[in-house]
Amino acid sequence: MSFCCRLSLLNLALICILLQVGGCSNKENESNRKLELHPIEERIPYLDYRHFIVDTTKSSFDLSRNKMIKKIKGILNNPSSYATQKIPIKTNSYGDLVLEGLDENRLILLDTENQELFEYNFRQDSLYHIAEFGRGPGGLSNANDLTIKDDMVYIAMSSDRISTFYCESTPCFFKKETKLNKQIIYSLAKTDSSFVVLGGTPTNQTSGSNLKSTGDKNEPSLHVYNDRKKVFSFGKRYKTNNHWMLKRPFTEGIIKYSNQYGLYILSYSRLPYIYIFNDELELVRSYKFKNFILGKQKYWPKEGRLRIVLSNHSIMKDITLLTKDLALLKVETKRDSEVISSVFAWDRQLDFYLIGLNETKAKYLGSRHFNKKETYGSLIVTKQGVIRSTGGRLKWFNF
């Protein structure tokens, strides 16, 4: 091929590139016209409910005499002034640890990234490896949440299984497995007699023209089971219009249950609300968090293409039932993303709020900041104390 021909082809290619960059591509313009930004406000559940607005400057109750709350605030503001105990486990799983206190001396740790379950005894300073990855009875596969009721630890696996571990003595041991029929589990709670599951039915995850879920677009978000049998379902969720790509980002979240008052506490990860239902399944109070940054995700419905959030955004990270009257909410806000060593890194802030369960009241407790280099930094609050993760190493602040 002659030099002139090569030059002409190069010029043609350059013109094509400039036309596309300049927005002259008909295909790109057509795609942009069909772009949706989610969440769309009118699709958010319970939007018209009278929400109690929570921000960082106002408090609706005084807890200055509560020793546990004072210590949590102190740890947030000045953790170096408090004695700690090292937990002899190292993890590279920032954000993938689920922890809950079994009693004043024992802690249960679920590593959802590595699919391992541990029990740590503070008094004995002993760590026990209870379960690891496996598809048979007692094994962990897609384990993503845990809940504790009396002497039982229940591990939820998103693939419709719940494993029960008996913990009357140290260490806990596997007891049985419960399989729910075609039930995806995002989060799990336990009442005296039932499982409460935040989740949905499996979706037909295909591409091209068949982009919609096989389930009902108005499917409730919460499902109550007596053993393997579904008893009832309730709770509105974000309207995905049956597009399966939108289902998980906007319908996964956290469910807790207060046995003292018979209350269901629900939050969706990417929405700034906490909803509380009574045993009659009525929405009795709702909190909206003013400082929550609602991250918008780009979605092309024709192609079924969803782009992850790279702008600043917040996530409802955890809910801890501290007392019979109070829950603690942890909100993570990510800002100023940057690619470091081929991985997205963020400046992260954890904000902690107290909310009333039986009364509508709230209080901002404080925050903890982690820079882009502190990838594995976190604070996790349980009823027994606070766990701080630094560089994958865990330290315990006992109440």
Side-chain angles (χ1 to χ4, degrees):
M1 183 181 291
S2 69
F3 173 77
C4 291
C5 289
R6 287 198 299 270
L7 186 60
S8 298
L9 289 173
L10 181 62
N11 288 338
L12 181 61
L14 182 61
I15 290 170
C16 290
I17 291 171
L18 289 173
L19 284 172
Q20 290 184 17
V21 171
C24 298
S25 167
N26 289 331
K27 185 176 180 181
E28 185 67 25
N29 282 340
E30 181 182 356
S31 181
N32 283 335
R33 282 197 298 270
K34 295 178 180 177
L35 169 68
E36 297 176 353
L37 293 176
H38 288 267
I40 297 171
E41 186 176 15
E42 55 266 27
R43 296 193 190 183
I44 295 175
Y46 307 105
L47 193 65
D48 296 331
Y49 192 86
R50 188 174 179 179
H51 309 288
F52 184 86
I53 306 301
V54 183
D55 64 24
T56 58
T57 61
K58 297 180 181 179
S59 174
S60 52
F61 57 90
D62 178 25
L63 288 169
S64 58
R65 296 182 181 179
N66 188 306
K67 292 182 179 180
M68 180 194 299
I69 304 306
K70 287 178 69 175
K71 190 158 187 179
I72 294 174
K73 289 189 67 174
I75 293 169
L76 288 174
N77 295 326
N78 189 15
S80 61
S81 63
Y82 290 85
T84 61
Q85 182 174 339
K86 291 182 180 179
I87 300 176
I89 181 174
K90 190 176 189 302
T91 175
N92 59 353
S93 303
Y94 156 71
D96 296 308
L97 283 177
V98 184
L99 297 93
E100 192 165 335
L102 185 61
D103 56 39
E104 61 182 10
N105 295 312
R106 300 161 73 193
L107 181 71
I108 303 297
L109 304 92
L110 173 64
D111 184 341
T112 61
E113 180 175 326
N114 299 306
Q115 294 295 289
E116 293 182 292
L117 183 66
F118 300 92
E119 175 188 338
Y120 178 64
N121 189 299
F122 295 100
R123 180 173 293 177
Q124 300 172 2
D125 192 24
S126 300
L127 183 72
Y128 302 93
H129 191 219
I130 301 173
E132 60 186 4
F133 175 78
R135 300 191 182 279
L140 303 181
S141 177
N142 300 314
N144 59 358
D145 196 16
L146 73 83
T147 189
I148 295 175
K149 181 73 170 66
D150 300 326
D151 292 324
M152 301 291 189
V153 173
Y154 302 93
I155 305 297
M157 283 166 269
S158 61
S159 54
D160 78 1
R161 293 185 297 139
I162 300 171
S163 284
T164 302
F165 292 83
Y166 189 52
C167 302
E168 186 178 29
S169 59
T170 298
C172 302
F173 61 88
F174 173 73
K175 184 175 183 180
K176 68 174 184 176
E177 181 179 278
T178 304
K179 186 173 176 59
L180 309 182
N181 185 28
K182 295 182 180 180
Q183 177 68 68
I184 294 174
I185 306 173
Y186 299 141
S187 183
L188 177 70
K190 186 71 173 67
T191 73
D192 287 334
S193 58
S194 305
F195 293 116
V196 186
V197 171
L198 172 61
T201 54
T203 56
N204 184 18
Q205 299 185 3
T206 57
S207 58
S209 59
N210 189 14
L211 297 168
K212 295 193 174 183
S213 165
T214 56
D216 183 357
K217 66 182 179 181
N218 295 317
E219 177 190 9
S221 59
L222 295 172
H223 310 275
V224 178
Y225 285 82
N226 283 343
D227 199 28
R228 293 177 172 84
K229 183 179 179 181
K230 185 185 290 188
V231 183
F232 58 87
S233 301
F234 71 102
K236 297 178 182 179
R237 67 179 191 182
Y238 183 77
K239 295 177 182 177
T240 64
N241 288 351
N242 257 16
H243 281 263
W244 67 265
M245 282 292 289
L246 297 173
K247 192 171 183 179
R248 179 152 195 167
F250 297 107
T251 62
E252 70 177 352
I254 304 165
I255 180 64
K256 300 289 183 180
Y257 183 78
S258 168
N259 280 279
Q260 286 85 354
Y261 296 119
L263 299 173
Y264 302 88
I265 301 100
L266 168 67
S267 73
Y268 296 107
S269 298
R270 297 186 179 275
L271 300 178
Y273 302 92
I274 284 185
Y275 309 103
I276 299 180
F277 303 85
N278 62 19
D279 258 350
E280 284 73 44
L281 313 183
E282 301 168 323
L283 181 61
V284 292
R285 60 187 52 83
S286 173
Y287 296 93
K288 182 177 181 180
F289 295 83
K290 184 177 179 180
N291 295 79
F292 189 99
I293 300 176
L294 200 62
K296 292 288 187 175
Q297 291 190 257
K298 294 181 179 181
Y299 180 63
W300 289 265
K302 187 175 181 180
E303 298 90 348
R305 181 159 55 96
L306 184 70
R307 183 174 294 175
I308 63 172
V309 179
L310 298 178
S311 58
N312 299 347
H313 63 280
S314 299
I315 299 172
M316 294 291 202
K317 201 67 179 176
D318 196 14
I319 298 173
T320 304
L321 303 184
L322 288 179
T323 69
K324 66 184 181 68
D325 296 305
L326 295 173
L328 183 137
L329 169 68
K330 179 171 70 175
V331 179
E332 180 182 54
T333 298
K334 297 182 175 181
R335 295 184 175 90
D336 304 325
S337 66
E338 179 183 348
V339 178
I340 300 177
S341 301
S342 303
V343 176
F344 277 105
W346 302 81
D347 283 323
R348 297 180 295 110
Q349 180 170 310
L350 300 179
D351 289 294
F352 294 85
Y353 301 84
L354 283 175
I355 60 169
L357 297 177
N358 204 38
E359 296 180 75
T360 305
K361 54 186 180 180
K363 182 180 182 66
Y364 179 67
L365 283 185
S367 65
R368 187 72 177 158
H369 179 264
F370 300 92
N371 62 40
K372 294 182 178 71
K373 295 181 180 179
E374 296 176 293
T375 307
Y376 305 127
S378 186
L379 281 179
I380 303 168
V381 179
T382 72
K383 288 187 292 186
Q384 291 77 17
V386 178
I387 295 93
R388 183 177 68 181
S389 173
T390 306
R393 299 186 183 277
L394 304 180
K395 292 184 178 181
W396 167 262
F397 300 83
N398 199 336
F399 289 154

